[in-house]
Amino acid sequence: MSRYGKFDDFCRDTGNSWSTLPVCYLFAQAPTRNGGGWEGGCTLQGFPVGGGNRLHNLGSIILCGIAILTTFFLLWRSERKKAAVGRREMQLFLIGYIIISICEIFTIGGFPLNDSVRLAFVAVHIAAIVATTWILMLNGLVGYQLLDDGTPISIGLLLISAIILFVGTGYIALDTGFSWTGYWDDTLSLPNQAYALYTLYQLVPLVFLFIFFCLESFLVLRVLGERKPMLYLLGAALLFAIGQVFQYVISVHICTGTSGKINGGLFETLFTLLSVVMIWVFWSSITEDDWPMPTVAGSGTYT
């Protein structure tokens, strides 16, 4: 708990001055603030592209492009499903993931940008992660039909709450990065102890994901009485966890072994994409047109 809120070690081990954690670009040690990086670790060098510029995370840029195309395909497939409880809610989650992937190209991808523009993308990136995981958590409630899915009130409540989280998180990130009010300036120097950003960026999304997993597990096992969809849900959770291990544990070792050409951020992007696809497959499997419905003797089938 003594390390709660501190980002210095994370930023050092995930690429140093070119970290694959977007939040690191808000602090004084980052190149966006004319800093020289965090002492130690391994600097993500990437590949030169001419003119003195480098793409520090080319692999993630390519994978983000693939993720965007894949997600558009899933949006199209969702629209074509005839029986799809929570279609619009799932599509909102996919749109959120597209926004995250676009931001990732210009933040941790190391795409050559003006520092101020990169900081703006960082703020949107962090806010989109929080809002998108919130949307996913609410997707876990859709199957319980507390409100009719796809209705204006259902979509409206989801969007309004997500926008509130997006704006609040985005403002904290922007104020930290640009020092508008100076309120967060004590987080800029070592050990970069930013309680608000740490809670919103590191902890809150995990809580949302855990609640989503619990809600969907109960729905599948106790309400639907099925087991097969749990394989997809467990697969999504496992893939996401593997991505986080690459990001936070293995990253510095990959960076050192490749002389800074790549690190674990590349694999985190890949496994997150696979996890999102598996979430969609899980959702699709419990909204199939021919889903077997329970029967009651003498009363036919439920509709």
Side-chain angles (χ1 to χ4, degrees):
M1 289 300 295
S2 63
R3 296 294 304 172
Y4 188 83
K6 298 177 181 178
F7 282 103
D8 55 335
D9 285 355
F10 290 142
C11 296
R12 179 197 65 203
D13 293 339
T14 55
N16 205 328
S17 58
W18 289 99
S19 173
T20 47
L21 288 181
V23 68
C24 296
Y25 292 93
L26 301 175
F27 303 127
Q29 295 83 359
T32 46
R33 305 294 294 264
N34 297 317
W38 287 262
E39 185 177 351
C42 174
T43 300
L44 184 61
Q45 302 288 349
F47 301 89
V49 291
N53 293 319
R54 304 180 73 90
L55 287 178
H56 292 272
N57 201 352
L58 178 60
S60 284
I61 292 175
I62 294 173
L63 284 172
C64 284
I66 295 173
I68 292 167
L69 294 176
T70 301
T71 310
F72 272 118
F73 173 75
L74 296 180
L75 282 168
W76 174 75
R77 287 289 298 149
S78 301
E79 190 63 32
R80 289 182 61 85
K81 285 178 66 69
K82 295 179 181 178
V85 175
R87 182 206 317 271
R88 298 302 177 210
E89 291 81 357
M90 175 54 63
Q91 287 177 323
L92 286 175
F93 164 69
L94 293 174
I95 291 171
Y97 179 62
I98 289 175
I99 295 172
I100 291 172
S101 298
I102 292 172
C103 289
E104 190 168 325
I105 292 173
F106 299 106
T107 56
I108 66 174
F111 196 89
L113 276 180
N114 174 273
D115 290 340
S116 295
V117 175
R118 195 184 308 280
L119 283 173
F121 269 109
V122 165
V124 175
H125 191 172
I126 295 171
I129 289 173
V130 177
T132 302
T133 51
W134 168 257
I135 291 172
L136 181 62
M137 186 193 74
L138 294 185
N139 266 265
L141 286 171
V142 170
Y144 294 89
Q145 293 292 282
L146 302 177
L147 291 173
D148 290 338
D149 63 287
T151 59
I153 187 170
S154 174
I155 299 299
L157 288 173
L158 188 151
L159 276 176
I160 291 171
S161 58
I163 289 171
I164 290 172
L165 279 173
F166 181 90
V167 172
T169 304
Y171 171 76
I172 293 173
L174 285 170
D175 198 2
T176 301
F178 289 102
S179 297
W180 288 336
T181 67
Y183 184 82
W184 313 98
D185 282 359
D186 59 338
T187 69
L188 301 180
S189 57
L190 293 174
N192 308 118
Q193 193 162 21
Y195 289 114
L197 284 173
Y198 195 96
T199 302
L200 288 167
Y201 175 68
Q202 297 282 75
L203 181 61
V204 167
L206 291 179
V207 172
F208 290 161
L209 293 174
F210 177 75
I211 294 174
F212 168 78
F213 181 85
C214 292
L215 288 170
E216 295 290 35
S217 296
F218 184 85
L219 178 69
V220 170
L221 296 174
R222 298 300 299 274
V223 178
L224 297 179
E226 295 291 332
R227 295 182 182 273
K228 182 180 177 181
M230 283 302 299
L231 296 176
Y232 305 131
L233 187 62
L234 288 169
L238 180 61
L239 288 166
F240 177 78
I242 291 172
Q244 299 308 299
V245 170
F246 269 104
Q247 178 77 289
Y248 289 98
V249 180
I250 306 176
S251 187
V252 66
H253 304 292
I254 296 175
C255 181
T256 302
T258 61
S259 301
K261 288 183 172 60
I262 62 172
N263 69 1
L266 163 66
F267 300 96
E268 189 272 339
T269 302
L270 171 62
F271 282 103
T272 299
L273 166 60
L274 296 176
S275 179
V276 168
V277 171
M278 197 58 66
I279 287 173
W280 186 89
V281 171
F282 164 77
W283 168 78
S284 180
S285 73
I286 63 175
T287 57
E288 290 175 345
D289 300 349
D290 57 352
W291 185 262
M293 300 301 290
T295 59
V296 178
S299 62
T301 62
Y302 290 116
T303 58

